[in-house]
Amino acid sequence: MDQHDITINYSFDLANGTKKRFLIRLDPATSLMRPSSNSKAEWTKLATHQCTCCRLDRERIGHCPVAINIADLVTAFRDILSHESCTVSCITTERTTIKETIVQDGLSSIMGIIMATSGCPTLDILRPMARFHLPFATVDESMFRIVSVYLLRQYFIETDGGKPDYHLDRIKQYWRQIEQVNEGMLNRIRYAAELDADKNAIVILNCLAQILPMEIDENLNSLRPFFFRQETPLDP
């Protein structure tokens, strides 16, 4: 397996000619390598709208790791509307993905990977997906990846002598906490951004977090057809 740092380049080319570039660097363990110039704005302090599920100690950790790492994005898009047209490209070592879209969709894609790799204990369950980042993932693609990665995690838990959760009994609890983190980030951004692009990017991520528990309650029936073909009954 490749043990080198992982780089992901995101580019936003807005219809008005504005260009914004962001470089994400992950170490071989898929943790975000933070630039030394990260903002320490008031809204990034851990005590500011601290998430209800937060396990970090505000006496020991002064700033929320997620807020610190999305601060440059929030600043860059604070005066941009969510529905503005743009071309977003995501360049990795393996491939380049380009999409004509709107700002909020591109932002939710890059925010998702930064939040998952920032060192938040609650979001760490999403970190393995960052190595195989899929930009602009649809709801079905996201559900498929999330559940597949979760079940693979259970396999490794079992091989390490732990108790696996192959029946997805605990996954809803994890996602309720992820919802709480998204809501906490949304509350922070409300005080940092003037317009709605950053806020709507978080809303998109939170919608996915809300959909997953409902899908689990429905036994993941939306994914079942990908595995079992519905045969057309023969005429008598």
Side-chain angles (χ1 to χ4, degrees):
M1 185 174 177
D2 188 357
Q3 293 299 308
H4 296 295
D5 295 345
I6 303 156
T7 60
I8 303 173
N9 284 278
Y10 263 90
S11 299
F12 290 74
D13 294 300
L14 278 66
N16 63 6
T18 301
K19 300 179 184 295
K20 297 183 182 293
R21 305 287 184 260
F22 302 94
L23 172 63
I24 300 170
R25 293 183 63 212
L26 307 176
D27 66 20
T30 326
S31 294
L32 189 68
M33 300 173 68
R34 303 176 186 175
S36 58
S37 61
N38 270 326
S39 167
K40 295 290 181 75
E42 182 71 22
W43 66 273
T44 67
K45 289 183 177 179
L46 189 62
T48 303
H49 295 289
Q50 187 171 3
C51 302
T52 55
C53 62
C54 185
R55 288 172 264 166
L56 300 177
D57 184 354
R58 66 175 68 177
E59 298 298 326
R60 200 165 50 86
I61 300 175
H63 292 261
C64 167
V66 175
I68 283 289
N69 286 311
I70 66 172
D72 288 346
L73 279 175
V74 172
T75 299
F77 289 91
R78 64 184 304 168
D79 57 353
I80 293 176
L81 290 168
S82 61
H83 61 265
E84 286 194 36
S85 299
C86 64
T87 301
V88 182
S89 62
C90 175
I91 303 173
T92 65
T93 303
E94 293 81 13
R95 64 189 60 86
T96 297
T97 306
I98 302 174
K99 184 176 182 180
E100 300 289 337
T101 184
I102 56 177
V103 170
Q104 67 180 27
D105 288 343
L107 264 180
S108 72
S109 190
I110 186 173
M111 274 193 177
I113 191 170
I114 292 175
M115 291 172 65
T117 58
S118 286
C120 169
T122 299
L123 299 183
D124 192 66
I125 195 170
L126 301 173
R127 181 173 48 82
M129 296 172 63
R131 177 61 186 88
F132 306 100
H133 179 51
L134 180 62
F136 325 117
T138 65
V139 171
D140 281 345
E141 288 169 337
S142 297
M143 290 296 154
F144 192 95
R145 296 176 71 234
I146 288 169
V147 176
S148 298
V149 169
Y150 183 82
L151 290 173
L152 182 58
R153 178 187 289 269
Q154 305 316 305
Y155 168 78
F156 288 125
I157 288 173
E158 184 178 50
T159 58
D160 288 344
K163 185 177 180 181
D165 177 30
Y166 291 124
H167 294 288
L168 308 179
D169 294 328
R170 297 191 295 270
I171 192 170
K172 289 199 295 184
Q173 176 185 345
Y174 292 128
W175 255 257
R176 280 195 295 268
Q177 293 179 343
I178 290 172
E179 270 192 76
Q180 292 171 1
V181 173
N182 289 334
E183 289 166 1
M185 290 303 113
L186 187 57
N187 287 331
R188 291 176 183 275
I189 291 174
R190 283 196 176 108
Y191 290 91
E194 297 174 12
L195 296 183
D196 63 351
D198 297 296
K199 293 187 276 288
N200 281 1
I202 298 290
V203 169
I204 291 171
L205 294 174
N206 206 39
C207 286
L208 178 60
Q210 293 170 340
I211 290 170
L212 180 67
M214 292 188 287
E215 288 288 326
I216 297 296
D217 286 340
E218 295 294 325
N219 297 316
L220 297 172
N221 284 332
S222 66
L223 300 180
R224 182 179 293 272
F226 302 138
F227 294 88
F228 302 104
R229 189 183 311 157
Q230 292 185 344
E231 302 290 351
T232 303
L234 296 176
D235 293 331

